[in-house]
Amino acid sequence: MDYSAANTGLWNFVIQIGIIAALLLLSNCLRKKLSFIRKAMIPTAVLAGFLLLLLRTAGILPVDVDFLNMLTYHGIAIGFIAQSLRINKTQGQEDRSGLKSGALIVSTYLMQGTAGLIISLGLCFTFMKDFFPAAGILLPMGYGQGPGQANNIGYTYETHGFAGGQSFGLSLAAAGYLCACIIGVIYLNYLSRKGKVARLGVRQESFSDGAVTTAETFQDENEAPLSDSLDRLSMQICLIFAVYFATYLVSWGLCELLRAVAPGLLGTVESLLWGFNFIIGSVLAMALNGILKLLNAKKIVRRQYRNNYLLSRISGFAFDLMIVAGIAAIDIEKLEGLWVPFLLMAVTGGILTLVYLQFMCKKLFPNSYYENLMGFYGMLTGTISSGVLLLRELDPEMKSPAGMNLVTGSSFGIAFGAPMLILVGMAPKSLSMTLLVFGLILVYWALLLLYLLKFSGRKKAK
């Protein structure tokens, strides 16, 4: 075997990961040293993604776009599986808050989808008659779910005739991060000047000692010791990739079953199964959690092998790679002719999300309104990390329930968001199907609003 640089198949992975790692380290230094970047609260991974996009577009760095797309696709699945393997220690009232937060998250997706479809259908019926009518669905995929899903669904829509759909979705995801950082920070400063909130901020050095917080302990009760025969980190990685391999087998098995019994349905469902593989992975991870819990109760397995702290770190690493790769994979040239719908959706999505969350958070979280507003706005335009960044400006020690609402809401949001999977797959089939999906989104949004407003009404009655 040739181990030299001539063997590109051997060294390509190392080169691409090395470039991303170097830019992440450089971005981290820039964020620490340049006050205007730090004050803008741009996440390190987002900054690294834009730097890599700039260097790739200028032809300075030899970046493999196919590798970036692959990293984006797998990163979202690995990150969600790691999150779903975590041991849930919340019960009772916190579970109820999780239901409420999950419904709020999905209702915001539906609001973004409604706004996006109004724009794409409006353009399709007026002066851009050749525009892809279902393109508006990519607004909640980019803003609400981030670059992973924007990449997957954008690529799926390309196969249905939306030229440049993948780059369009990724560009919306990148615009969402800018909304989280720019609009979020401007709004925080506005509230601070009006005396409605106090920006306590988070000093960079306060997190530099590497101390483990009480929220995530490194050594839990009855956990396998560090000196076990298999390293604790290795155990977490093995569990994650075992679940991911099972995810592949389940997705492949379902496709083969449909091929045998309902080949006509396969064309609709196959892209959804592979595009939303992280949902299947999350479900399998939660099923593994239930099995391990049962085995622990029966004393068949006497040790706890999952570690929440390490699973969170692995998830964060996967999401960081996904964010960098997703932003860097944007093909600016493919956006030619799509700038008008892109700008309309980007601006409308950022403004409407803030207005909608102002109304809903005031109803649902009257005792921690501003903390929940900023946390959910950051998450529903970027990712949970940008939500936490904005939240920490008001609540650096995370004493309010807002931080837990972001975490538990994301888990419950998977259940509430399941019907959207079908709608996302139906929308690109034809114009009439897009109009039908638009109507179904409005109906589901109304049902979720009715469910959510019951919470606030019940609380006021008490």
Side-chain angles (χ1 to χ4, degrees), residues 261-385:
V261 301
L265 184 61
L266 180 64
T268 302
V269 176
E270 185 174 24
S271 60
L272 285 177
L273 285 174
W274 293 109
F276 285 93
N277 68 329
F278 75 97
I279 298 286
I280 298 173
S282 296
V283 171
L284 291 177
M286 289 186 279
L288 179 60
N289 277 349
I291 293 170
L292 290 174
K293 185 177 180 180
L294 179 64
L295 293 175
N296 283 136
K298 298 286 186 182
K299 304 297 182 184
I300 298 174
V301 175
R302 298 183 180 275
R303 292 286 191 182
Q304 175 184 303
Y305 288 101
R306 289 158 297 154
N307 182 279
N308 281 2
Y309 177 78
L310 290 176
L311 287 169
S312 294
R313 303 289 70 76
I314 295 169
S315 174
F317 175 67
F319 286 145
D320 281 341
L321 288 181
M322 177 200 73
I323 291 166
V324 177
I327 294 174
I330 297 171
D331 192 341
I332 303 296
E333 291 181 0
K334 288 186 177 180
L335 290 178
E336 185 179 354
L338 299 175
W339 285 105
V340 171
F342 166 71
L343 291 173
L344 283 173
M345 288 187 199
V347 174
T348 303
I351 294 171
L352 284 185
T353 302
L354 179 59
V355 173
Y356 180 74
L357 288 173
Q358 284 175 327
F359 173 78
M360 294 303 297
C361 289
K362 193 169 287 185
K363 293 281 186 182
L364 300 175
F365 311 107
N367 297 324
S368 53
Y369 164 60
Y370 289 112
E371 291 86 350
N372 279 284
L373 170 62
M374 299 317 301
F376 278 113
Y377 182 74
M379 185 175 79
L380 290 168
T381 52
T383 60
I384 193 169
S385 62

Side-chain angles (χ1 to χ4, degrees), residues 100-111:
K100 181 168 59 173
S101 301
L104 174 61
I105 289 169
V106 176
S107 77
T108 309
Y109 295 165
L110 295 168
M111 181 278 296

